[in-house]
Amino acid sequence: QVQLVESGGGLVQTGGSLRLSCAASGGTFSNYAMGWFRQAPGKQRAFVATINWVSSTTYYTESVRGRFTISRDNAKNIVVLEMNNLRPDDTAVYYCAASGGKIATAHRIDYDYWGQGTQVTVSM
């Protein structure tokens, strides 16, 4: 059983930056691909970014490409989402997730474990 705990959310102005972290425990972190998803009020949870188990492959949803960067440190059991040039439409609860398939994937169904989420609010 893998436990995931997100941190780093908060309130930021348009154009600002935030760094989200997700700490994993209870499993072998390098056995999992990791992903970030987000859920805005009244909307479904949506894919943001993913990274495979050895950091050789990353994918991003189109709206964040060039602004967000996903990375991981298998020695520290963390995955990070660096978010720059934030916009109001980035406002959401951000969730970290782990996929036992090791392969980077944008599909929610591929993820086995989820964190509780961290709120990101971008003001105009």
PDB file of all heavy atoms in Angstrom, residues 69-108:
ATOM      1  N   THR A  69       6.619  21.751 -15.018  1.00  0.00           N
ATOM      2  CA  THR A  69       7.641  20.720 -15.167  1.00  0.00           C
ATOM      3  C   THR A  69       7.479  19.686 -14.070  1.00  0.00           C
ATOM      4  O   THR A  69       7.440  20.039 -12.891  1.00  0.00           O
ATOM      5  CB  THR A  69       9.051  21.325 -15.091  1.00  0.00           C
ATOM      6  OG1 THR A  69       9.200  22.324 -16.100  1.00  0.00           O
ATOM      7  CG2 THR A  69      10.102  20.240 -15.297  1.00  0.00           C
ATOM      8  N   ILE A  70       7.397  18.431 -14.475  1.00  0.00           N
ATOM      9  CA  ILE A  70       7.329  17.331 -13.507  1.00  0.00           C
ATOM     10  C   ILE A  70       8.701  16.691 -13.390  1.00  0.00           C
ATOM     11  O   ILE A  70       9.407  16.536 -14.389  1.00  0.00           O
ATOM     12  CB  ILE A  70       6.259  16.292 -13.914  1.00  0.00           C
ATOM     13  CG1 ILE A  70       6.057  15.255 -12.810  1.00  0.00           C
ATOM     14  CG2 ILE A  70       6.587  15.635 -15.250  1.00  0.00           C
ATOM     15  CD1 ILE A  70       4.870  14.313 -13.057  1.00  0.00           C
ATOM     16  N   SER A  71       9.068  16.325 -12.180  1.00  0.00           N
ATOM     17  CA  SER A  71      10.340  15.648 -11.945  1.00  0.00           C
ATOM     18  C   SER A  71      10.175  14.729 -10.742  1.00  0.00           C
ATOM     19  O   SER A  71       9.201  14.830  -9.999  1.00  0.00           O
ATOM     20  CB  SER A  71      11.463  16.660 -11.714  1.00  0.00           C
ATOM     21  OG  SER A  71      11.196  17.437 -10.557  1.00  0.00           O
ATOM     22  N   ARG A  72      11.138  13.846 -10.566  1.00  0.00           N
ATOM     23  CA  ARG A  72      11.081  12.922  -9.434  1.00  0.00           C
ATOM     24  C   ARG A  72      12.477  12.644  -8.927  1.00  0.00           C
ATOM     25  O   ARG A  72      13.469  12.751  -9.665  1.00  0.00           O
ATOM     26  CB  ARG A  72      10.386  11.612  -9.827  1.00  0.00           C
ATOM     27  CG  ARG A  72      11.130  10.773 -10.845  1.00  0.00           C
ATOM     28  CD  ARG A  72      10.290   9.591 -11.307  1.00  0.00           C
ATOM     29  NE  ARG A  72      10.054   8.642 -10.227  1.00  0.00           N
ATOM     30  CZ  ARG A  72       9.085   7.731 -10.258  1.00  0.00           C
ATOM     31  NH1 ARG A  72       8.261   7.658 -11.299  1.00  0.00           N
ATOM     32  NH2 ARG A  72       8.934   6.880  -9.258  1.00  0.00           N
ATOM     33  N   ASP A  73      12.548  12.276  -7.677  1.00  0.00           N
ATOM     34  CA  ASP A  73      13.798  11.868  -7.044  1.00  0.00           C
ATOM     35  C   ASP A  73      13.536  10.529  -6.374  1.00  0.00           C
ATOM     36  O   ASP A  73      12.901  10.481  -5.310  1.00  0.00           O
ATOM     37  CB  ASP A  73      14.258  12.923  -6.031  1.00  0.00           C
ATOM     38  CG  ASP A  73      15.624  12.628  -5.458  1.00  0.00           C
ATOM     39  OD1 ASP A  73      16.008  11.438  -5.404  1.00  0.00           O
ATOM     40  OD2 ASP A  73      16.289  13.574  -5.038  1.00  0.00           O
ATOM     41  N   ASN A  74      13.979   9.456  -7.013  1.00  0.00           N
ATOM     42  CA  ASN A  74      13.694   8.122  -6.477  1.00  0.00           C
ATOM     43  C   ASN A  74      14.439   7.841  -5.178  1.00  0.00           C
ATOM     44  O   ASN A  74      14.028   6.982  -4.401  1.00  0.00           O
ATOM     45  CB  ASN A  74      14.025   7.053  -7.519  1.00  0.00           C
ATOM     46  CG  ASN A  74      13.010   7.018  -8.647  1.00  0.00           C
ATOM     47  OD1 ASN A  74      11.937   7.636  -8.568  1.00  0.00           O
ATOM     48  ND2 ASN A  74      13.334   6.306  -9.713  1.00  0.00           N
ATOM     49  N   ALA A  75      15.527   8.543  -4.935  1.00  0.00           N
ATOM     50  CA  ALA A  75      16.254   8.357  -3.676  1.00  0.00           C
ATOM     51  C   ALA A  75      15.500   8.980  -2.504  1.00  0.00           C
ATOM     52  O   ALA A  75      15.608   8.506  -1.373  1.00  0.00           O
ATOM     53  CB  ALA A  75      17.652   8.956  -3.783  1.00  0.00           C
ATOM     54  N   LYS A  76      14.736  10.033  -2.793  1.00  0.00           N
ATOM     55  CA  LYS A  76      14.000  10.727  -1.740  1.00  0.00           C
ATOM     56  C   LYS A  76      12.515  10.388  -1.736  1.00  0.00           C
ATOM     57  O   LYS A  76      11.763  10.867  -0.888  1.00  0.00           O
ATOM     58  CB  LYS A  76      14.171  12.245  -1.893  1.00  0.00           C
ATOM     59  CG  LYS A  76      15.595  12.716  -1.706  1.00  0.00           C
ATOM     60  CD  LYS A  76      15.695  14.233  -1.851  1.00  0.00           C
ATOM     61  CE  LYS A  76      17.119  14.715  -1.629  1.00  0.00           C
ATOM     62  NZ  LYS A  76      17.241  16.190  -1.781  1.00  0.00           N
ATOM     63  N   ASN A  77      12.083   9.595  -2.708  1.00  0.00           N
ATOM     64  CA  ASN A  77      10.673   9.191  -2.809  1.00  0.00           C
ATOM     65  C   ASN A  77       9.736  10.381  -2.963  1.00  0.00           C
ATOM     66  O   ASN A  77       8.674  10.457  -2.311  1.00  0.00           O
ATOM     67  CB  ASN A  77      10.238   8.362  -1.587  1.00  0.00           C
ATOM     68  CG  ASN A  77      10.892   6.998  -1.548  1.00  0.00           C
ATOM     69  OD1 ASN A  77      11.625   6.634  -2.458  1.00  0.00           O
ATOM     70  ND2 ASN A  77      10.625   6.249  -0.498  1.00  0.00           N
ATOM     71  N   ILE A  78      10.105  11.315  -3.812  1.00  0.00           N
ATOM     72  CA  ILE A  78       9.244  12.468  -4.047  1.00  0.00           C
ATOM     73  C   ILE A  78       9.071  12.714  -5.539  1.00  0.00           C
ATOM     74  O   ILE A  78       9.948  12.395  -6.348  1.00  0.00           O
ATOM     75  CB  ILE A  78       9.774  13.756  -3.382  1.00  0.00           C
ATOM     76  CG1 ILE A  78      11.136  14.138  -3.945  1.00  0.00           C
ATOM     77  CG2 ILE A  78       9.835  13.599  -1.865  1.00  0.00           C
ATOM     78  CD1 ILE A  78      11.574  15.529  -3.525  1.00  0.00           C
ATOM     79  N   VAL A  79       7.949  13.302  -5.862  1.00  0.00           N
ATOM     80  CA  VAL A  79       7.704  13.803  -7.206  1.00  0.00           C
ATOM     81  C   VAL A  79       7.284  15.264  -7.051  1.00  0.00           C
ATOM     82  O   VAL A  79       6.571  15.623  -6.116  1.00  0.00           O
ATOM     83  CB  VAL A  79       6.639  12.974  -7.952  1.00  0.00           C
ATOM     84  CG1 VAL A  79       5.310  12.983  -7.220  1.00  0.00           C
ATOM     85  CG2 VAL A  79       6.483  13.465  -9.379  1.00  0.00           C
ATOM     86  N   VAL A  80       7.773  16.081  -7.959  1.00  0.00           N
ATOM     87  CA  VAL A  80       7.589  17.528  -7.865  1.00  0.00           C
ATOM     88  C   VAL A  80       6.927  18.055  -9.127  1.00  0.00           C
ATOM     89  O   VAL A  80       7.213  17.575 -10.229  1.00  0.00           O
ATOM     90  CB  VAL A  80       8.949  18.226  -7.652  1.00  0.00           C
ATOM     91  CG1 VAL A  80       8.813  19.731  -7.765  1.00  0.00           C
ATOM     92  CG2 VAL A  80       9.541  17.842  -6.300  1.00  0.00           C
ATOM     93  N   LEU A  81       6.054  19.020  -8.950  1.00  0.00           N
ATOM     94  CA  LEU A  81       5.465  19.735 -10.076  1.00  0.00           C
ATOM     95  C   LEU A  81       5.790  21.211  -9.913  1.00  0.00           C
ATOM     96  O   LEU A  81       5.268  21.871  -9.010  1.00  0.00           O
ATOM     97  CB  LEU A  81       3.955  19.530 -10.134  1.00  0.00           C
ATOM     98  CG  LEU A  81       3.263  20.121 -11.374  1.00  0.00           C
ATOM     99  CD1 LEU A  81       3.675  19.351 -12.623  1.00  0.00           C
ATOM    100  CD2 LEU A  81       1.746  20.116 -11.211  1.00  0.00           C
ATOM    101  N   GLU A  82       6.688  21.696 -10.745  1.00  0.00           N
ATOM    102  CA  GLU A  82       7.037  23.118 -10.771  1.00  0.00           C
ATOM    103  C   GLU A  82       6.047  23.822 -11.692  1.00  0.00           C
ATOM    104  O   GLU A  82       5.916  23.444 -12.852  1.00  0.00           O
ATOM    105  CB  GLU A  82       8.455  23.320 -11.291  1.00  0.00           C
ATOM    106  CG  GLU A  82       9.528  22.692 -10.449  1.00  0.00           C
ATOM    107  CD  GLU A  82       9.977  23.594  -9.297  1.00  0.00           C
ATOM    108  OE1 GLU A  82       9.393  24.685  -9.125  1.00  0.00           O
ATOM    109  OE2 GLU A  82      10.883  23.182  -8.560  1.00  0.00           O
ATOM    110  N   MET A  83       5.380  24.839 -11.164  1.00  0.00           N
ATOM    111  CA  MET A  83       4.349  25.535 -11.935  1.00  0.00           C
ATOM    112  C   MET A  83       4.733  27.008 -12.056  1.00  0.00           C
ATOM    113  O   MET A  83       4.865  27.699 -11.034  1.00  0.00           O
ATOM    114  CB  MET A  83       2.989  25.392 -11.255  1.00  0.00           C
ATOM    115  CG  MET A  83       2.597  23.933 -11.001  1.00  0.00           C
ATOM    116  SD  MET A  83       0.908  23.771 -10.396  1.00  0.00           S
ATOM    117  CE  MET A  83       1.027  24.638  -8.838  1.00  0.00           C
ATOM    118  N   ASN A  84       4.912  27.464 -13.272  1.00  0.00           N
ATOM    119  CA  ASN A  84       5.298  28.850 -13.539  1.00  0.00           C
ATOM    120  C   ASN A  84       4.237  29.533 -14.396  1.00  0.00           C
ATOM    121  O   ASN A  84       3.430  28.864 -15.057  1.00  0.00           O
ATOM    122  CB  ASN A  84       6.651  28.886 -14.254  1.00  0.00           C
ATOM    123  CG  ASN A  84       7.764  28.316 -13.409  1.00  0.00           C
ATOM    124  OD1 ASN A  84       7.918  28.670 -12.242  1.00  0.00           O
ATOM    125  ND2 ASN A  84       8.537  27.410 -13.988  1.00  0.00           N
ATOM    126  N   ASN A  85       4.282  30.850 -14.372  1.00  0.00           N
ATOM    127  CA  ASN A  85       3.346  31.647 -15.175  1.00  0.00           C
ATOM    128  C   ASN A  85       1.904  31.180 -14.956  1.00  0.00           C
ATOM    129  O   ASN A  85       1.155  30.945 -15.911  1.00  0.00           O
ATOM    130  CB  ASN A  85       3.717  31.569 -16.660  1.00  0.00           C
ATOM    131  CG  ASN A  85       3.014  32.605 -17.492  1.00  0.00           C
ATOM    132  OD1 ASN A  85       2.533  33.624 -16.978  1.00  0.00           O
ATOM    133  ND2 ASN A  85       2.921  32.357 -18.788  1.00  0.00           N
ATOM    134  N   LEU A  86       1.537  31.068 -13.716  1.00  0.00           N
ATOM    135  CA  LEU A  86       0.218  30.541 -13.374  1.00  0.00           C
ATOM    136  C   LEU A  86      -0.888  31.480 -13.819  1.00  0.00           C
ATOM    137  O   LEU A  86      -0.721  32.715 -13.842  1.00  0.00           O
ATOM    138  CB  LEU A  86       0.132  30.279 -11.873  1.00  0.00           C
ATOM    139  CG  LEU A  86       0.852  29.002 -11.424  1.00  0.00           C
ATOM    140  CD1 LEU A  86       1.159  29.044  -9.942  1.00  0.00           C
ATOM    141  CD2 LEU A  86       0.019  27.781 -11.772  1.00  0.00           C
ATOM    142  N   ARG A  87      -2.015  30.874 -14.159  1.00  0.00           N
ATOM    143  CA  ARG A  87      -3.185  31.601 -14.661  1.00  0.00           C
ATOM    144  C   ARG A  87      -4.391  31.241 -13.794  1.00  0.00           C
ATOM    145  O   ARG A  87      -4.401  30.183 -13.147  1.00  0.00           O
ATOM    146  CB  ARG A  87      -3.457  31.208 -16.110  1.00  0.00           C
ATOM    147  CG  ARG A  87      -2.250  31.287 -16.998  1.00  0.00           C
ATOM    148  CD  ARG A  87      -2.507  30.986 -18.441  1.00  0.00           C
ATOM    149  NE  ARG A  87      -3.224  29.768 -18.719  1.00  0.00           N
ATOM    150  CZ  ARG A  87      -3.030  29.025 -19.799  1.00  0.00           C
ATOM    151  NH1 ARG A  87      -2.098  29.387 -20.674  1.00  0.00           N
ATOM    152  NH2 ARG A  87      -3.751  27.962 -20.020  1.00  0.00           N
ATOM    153  N   PRO A  88      -5.422  32.069 -13.795  1.00  0.00           N
ATOM    154  CA  PRO A  88      -6.622  31.745 -12.994  1.00  0.00           C
ATOM    155  C   PRO A  88      -7.232  30.392 -13.339  1.00  0.00           C
ATOM    156  O   PRO A  88      -7.768  29.717 -12.443  1.00  0.00           O
ATOM    157  CB  PRO A  88      -7.574  32.895 -13.331  1.00  0.00           C
ATOM    158  CG  PRO A  88      -6.664  34.054 -13.605  1.00  0.00           C
ATOM    159  CD  PRO A  88      -5.483  33.454 -14.326  1.00  0.00           C
ATOM    160  N   ASP A  89      -7.140  29.968 -14.589  1.00  0.00           N
ATOM    161  CA  ASP A  89      -7.721  28.673 -14.951  1.00  0.00           C
ATOM    162  C   ASP A  89      -6.879  27.492 -14.479  1.00  0.00           C
ATOM    163  O   ASP A  89      -7.260  26.335 -14.700  1.00  0.00           O
ATOM    164  CB  ASP A  89      -8.013  28.583 -16.449  1.00  0.00           C
ATOM    165  CG  ASP A  89      -6.781  28.722 -17.312  1.00  0.00           C
ATOM    166  OD1 ASP A  89      -5.692  28.999 -16.770  1.00  0.00           O
ATOM    167  OD2 ASP A  89      -6.898  28.561 -18.539  1.00  0.00           O
ATOM    168  N   ASP A  90      -5.763  27.747 -13.825  1.00  0.00           N
ATOM    169  CA  ASP A  90      -5.004  26.684 -13.162  1.00  0.00           C
ATOM    170  C   ASP A  90      -5.535  26.410 -11.755  1.00  0.00           C
ATOM    171  O   ASP A  90      -5.087  25.462 -11.104  1.00  0.00           O
ATOM    172  CB  ASP A  90      -3.518  27.052 -13.063  1.00  0.00           C
ATOM    173  CG  ASP A  90      -2.847  27.142 -14.419  1.00  0.00           C
ATOM    174  OD1 ASP A  90      -3.085  26.259 -15.272  1.00  0.00           O
ATOM    175  OD2 ASP A  90      -2.056  28.100 -14.632  1.00  0.00           O
ATOM    176  N   THR A  91      -6.463  27.219 -11.290  1.00  0.00           N
ATOM    177  CA  THR A  91      -7.034  27.040  -9.964  1.00  0.00           C
ATOM    178  C   THR A  91      -7.750  25.708  -9.870  1.00  0.00           C
ATOM    179  O   THR A  91      -8.626  25.395 -10.681  1.00  0.00           O
ATOM    180  CB  THR A  91      -8.015  28.182  -9.645  1.00  0.00           C
ATOM    181  OG1 THR A  91      -7.289  29.408  -9.557  1.00  0.00           O
ATOM    182  CG2 THR A  91      -8.732  27.927  -8.319  1.00  0.00           C
ATOM    183  N   ALA A  92      -7.345  24.905  -8.879  1.00  0.00           N
ATOM    184  CA  ALA A  92      -7.917  23.564  -8.716  1.00  0.00           C
ATOM    185  C   ALA A  92      -7.294  22.913  -7.492  1.00  0.00           C
ATOM    186  O   ALA A  92      -6.318  23.423  -6.932  1.00  0.00           O
ATOM    187  CB  ALA A  92      -7.629  22.704  -9.954  1.00  0.00           C
ATOM    188  N   VAL A  93      -7.844  21.776  -7.118  1.00  0.00           N
ATOM    189  CA  VAL A  93      -7.167  20.895  -6.177  1.00  0.00           C
ATOM    190  C   VAL A  93      -6.274  19.973  -7.003  1.00  0.00           C
ATOM    191  O   VAL A  93      -6.739  19.347  -7.963  1.00  0.00           O
ATOM    192  CB  VAL A  93      -8.163  20.058  -5.347  1.00  0.00           C
ATOM    193  CG1 VAL A  93      -7.408  19.107  -4.425  1.00  0.00           C
ATOM    194  CG2 VAL A  93      -9.075  20.975  -4.550  1.00  0.00           C
ATOM    195  N   TYR A  94      -5.011  19.914  -6.638  1.00  0.00           N
ATOM    196  CA  TYR A  94      -4.032  19.113  -7.370  1.00  0.00           C
ATOM    197  C   TYR A  94      -3.756  17.821  -6.613  1.00  0.00           C
ATOM    198  O   TYR A  94      -3.487  17.842  -5.399  1.00  0.00           O
ATOM    199  CB  TYR A  94      -2.745  19.901  -7.559  1.00  0.00           C
ATOM    200  CG  TYR A  94      -2.857  20.929  -8.658  1.00  0.00           C
ATOM    201  CD1 TYR A  94      -3.643  22.067  -8.498  1.00  0.00           C
ATOM    202  CD2 TYR A  94      -2.200  20.761  -9.876  1.00  0.00           C
ATOM    203  CE1 TYR A  94      -3.778  23.003  -9.516  1.00  0.00           C
ATOM    204  CE2 TYR A  94      -2.322  21.691 -10.894  1.00  0.00           C
ATOM    205  CZ  TYR A  94      -3.112  22.805 -10.709  1.00  0.00           C
ATOM    206  OH  TYR A  94      -3.239  23.729 -11.721  1.00  0.00           O
ATOM    207  N   TYR A  95      -3.812  16.715  -7.350  1.00  0.00           N
ATOM    208  CA  TYR A  95      -3.631  15.390  -6.777  1.00  0.00           C
ATOM    209  C   TYR A  95      -2.412  14.709  -7.382  1.00  0.00           C
ATOM    210  O   TYR A  95      -2.209  14.735  -8.591  1.00  0.00           O
ATOM    211  CB  TYR A  95      -4.852  14.520  -7.056  1.00  0.00           C
ATOM    212  CG  TYR A  95      -6.121  15.004  -6.418  1.00  0.00           C
ATOM    213  CD1 TYR A  95      -6.968  15.876  -7.083  1.00  0.00           C
ATOM    214  CD2 TYR A  95      -6.487  14.584  -5.139  1.00  0.00           C
ATOM    215  CE1 TYR A  95      -8.146  16.327  -6.510  1.00  0.00           C
ATOM    216  CE2 TYR A  95      -7.662  15.014  -4.552  1.00  0.00           C
ATOM    217  CZ  TYR A  95      -8.481  15.891  -5.240  1.00  0.00           C
ATOM    218  OH  TYR A  95      -9.647  16.333  -4.659  1.00  0.00           O
ATOM    219  N   CYS A  96      -1.672  14.058  -6.527  1.00  0.00           N
ATOM    220  CA  CYS A  96      -0.572  13.207  -6.925  1.00  0.00           C
ATOM    221  C   CYS A  96      -1.094  11.778  -7.019  1.00  0.00           C
ATOM    222  O   CYS A  96      -1.953  11.367  -6.219  1.00  0.00           O
ATOM    223  CB  CYS A  96       0.518  13.329  -5.857  1.00  0.00           C
ATOM    224  SG  CYS A  96       1.859  12.155  -5.949  1.00  0.00           S
ATOM    225  N   ALA A  97      -0.571  10.995  -7.969  1.00  0.00           N
ATOM    226  CA  ALA A  97      -1.035   9.624  -8.132  1.00  0.00           C
ATOM    227  C   ALA A  97       0.118   8.723  -8.559  1.00  0.00           C
ATOM    228  O   ALA A  97       1.058   9.187  -9.211  1.00  0.00           O
ATOM    229  CB  ALA A  97      -2.151   9.557  -9.163  1.00  0.00           C
ATOM    230  N   ALA A  98       0.010   7.442  -8.201  1.00  0.00           N
ATOM    231  CA  ALA A  98       1.043   6.455  -8.527  1.00  0.00           C
ATOM    232  C   ALA A  98       0.446   5.331  -9.357  1.00  0.00           C
ATOM    233  O   ALA A  98      -0.619   4.794  -9.022  1.00  0.00           O
ATOM    234  CB  ALA A  98       1.650   5.892  -7.244  1.00  0.00           C
ATOM    235  N   SER A  99       1.151   4.983 -10.436  1.00  0.00           N
ATOM    236  CA  SER A  99       0.721   3.906 -11.327  1.00  0.00           C
ATOM    237  C   SER A  99       1.720   2.766 -11.292  1.00  0.00           C
ATOM    238  O   SER A  99       2.898   2.968 -11.585  1.00  0.00           O
ATOM    239  CB  SER A  99       0.602   4.435 -12.762  1.00  0.00           C
ATOM    240  OG  SER A  99       0.413   3.366 -13.676  1.00  0.00           O
ATOM    241  N   GLY A 100       1.235   1.567 -10.986  1.00  0.00           N
ATOM    242  CA  GLY A 100       2.113   0.405 -10.887  1.00  0.00           C
ATOM    243  C   GLY A 100       2.647  -0.082 -12.223  1.00  0.00           C
ATOM    244  O   GLY A 100       3.509  -0.952 -12.263  1.00  0.00           O
ATOM    245  N   GLY A 101       2.175   0.506 -13.313  1.00  0.00           N
ATOM    246  CA  GLY A 101       2.635   0.090 -14.618  1.00  0.00           C
ATOM    247  C   GLY A 101       3.983   0.636 -15.012  1.00  0.00           C
ATOM    248  O   GLY A 101       4.524   0.250 -16.047  1.00  0.00           O
ATOM    249  N   LYS A 102       4.542   1.561 -14.231  1.00  0.00           N
ATOM    250  CA  LYS A 102       5.860   2.177 -14.467  1.00  0.00           C
ATOM    251  C   LYS A 102       5.901   3.099 -15.686  1.00  0.00           C
ATOM    252  O   LYS A 102       6.779   3.942 -15.781  1.00  0.00           O
ATOM    253  CB  LYS A 102       6.960   1.123 -14.611  1.00  0.00           C
ATOM    254  CG  LYS A 102       7.290   0.348 -13.351  1.00  0.00           C
ATOM    255  CD  LYS A 102       8.569  -0.444 -13.555  1.00  0.00           C
ATOM    256  CE  LYS A 102       9.001  -1.131 -12.294  1.00  0.00           C
ATOM    257  NZ  LYS A 102      10.278  -1.857 -12.463  1.00  0.00           N
ATOM    258  N   ILE A 103       4.978   2.925 -16.597  1.00  0.00           N
ATOM    259  CA  ILE A 103       4.994   3.706 -17.833  1.00  0.00           C
ATOM    260  C   ILE A 103       4.187   4.983 -17.627  1.00  0.00           C
ATOM    261  O   ILE A 103       3.089   4.950 -17.073  1.00  0.00           O
ATOM    262  CB  ILE A 103       4.396   2.894 -18.987  1.00  0.00           C
ATOM    263  CG1 ILE A 103       5.228   1.631 -19.217  1.00  0.00           C
ATOM    264  CG2 ILE A 103       4.308   3.722 -20.261  1.00  0.00           C
ATOM    265  CD1 ILE A 103       4.607   0.657 -20.178  1.00  0.00           C
ATOM    266  N   ALA A 104       4.734   6.113 -18.086  1.00  0.00           N
ATOM    267  CA  ALA A 104       4.013   7.379 -17.978  1.00  0.00           C
ATOM    268  C   ALA A 104       2.677   7.284 -18.694  1.00  0.00           C
ATOM    269  O   ALA A 104       2.607   6.843 -19.841  1.00  0.00           O
ATOM    270  CB  ALA A 104       4.856   8.496 -18.588  1.00  0.00           C
ATOM    271  N   THR A 105       1.622   7.710 -18.033  1.00  0.00           N
ATOM    272  CA  THR A 105       0.286   7.586 -18.590  1.00  0.00           C
ATOM    273  C   THR A 105      -0.605   8.738 -18.147  1.00  0.00           C
ATOM    274  O   THR A 105      -0.518   9.197 -17.011  1.00  0.00           O
ATOM    275  CB  THR A 105      -0.357   6.249 -18.177  1.00  0.00           C
ATOM    276  OG1 THR A 105      -1.719   6.217 -18.627  1.00  0.00           O
ATOM    277  CG2 THR A 105      -0.339   6.051 -16.669  1.00  0.00           C
ATOM    278  N   ALA A 106      -1.468   9.162 -19.051  1.00  0.00           N
ATOM    279  CA  ALA A 106      -2.392  10.257 -18.769  1.00  0.00           C
ATOM    280  C   ALA A 106      -3.769   9.761 -18.325  1.00  0.00           C
ATOM    281  O   ALA A 106      -4.652  10.566 -18.048  1.00  0.00           O
ATOM    282  CB  ALA A 106      -2.553  11.123 -20.014  1.00  0.00           C
ATOM    283  N   HIS A 107      -3.949   8.456 -18.254  1.00  0.00           N
ATOM    284  CA  HIS A 107      -5.269   7.882 -18.004  1.00  0.00           C
ATOM    285  C   HIS A 107      -5.490   7.638 -16.519  1.00  0.00           C
ATOM    286  O   HIS A 107      -4.739   6.894 -15.874  1.00  0.00           O
ATOM    287  CB  HIS A 107      -5.427   6.576 -18.773  1.00  0.00           C
ATOM    288  CG  HIS A 107      -5.223   6.745 -20.242  1.00  0.00           C
ATOM    289  ND1 HIS A 107      -6.082   7.475 -21.041  1.00  0.00           N
ATOM    290  CD2 HIS A 107      -4.251   6.313 -21.058  1.00  0.00           C
ATOM    291  CE1 HIS A 107      -5.653   7.465 -22.272  1.00  0.00           C
ATOM    292  NE2 HIS A 107      -4.529   6.768 -22.325  1.00  0.00           N
ATOM    293  N   ARG A 108      -6.528   8.217 -15.960  1.00  0.00           N
ATOM    294  CA  ARG A 108      -6.826   8.047 -14.537  1.00  0.00           C
ATOM    295  C   ARG A 108      -6.928   6.590 -14.137  1.00  0.00           C
ATOM    296  O   ARG A 108      -6.510   6.205 -13.048  1.00  0.00           O
ATOM    297  CB  ARG A 108      -8.141   8.758 -14.200  1.00  0.00           C
ATOM    298  CG  ARG A 108      -8.051  10.257 -14.113  1.00  0.00           C
ATOM    299  CD  ARG A 108      -9.408  10.863 -13.847  1.00  0.00           C
ATOM    300  NE  ARG A 108     -10.032  10.300 -12.651  1.00  0.00           N
ATOM    301  CZ  ARG A 108     -11.266  10.575 -12.267  1.00  0.00           C
ATOM    302  NH1 ARG A 108     -12.015  11.378 -12.991  1.00  0.00           N
ATOM    303  NH2 ARG A 108     -11.757  10.046 -11.177  1.00  0.00           N
TER     304      ARG A 108
END
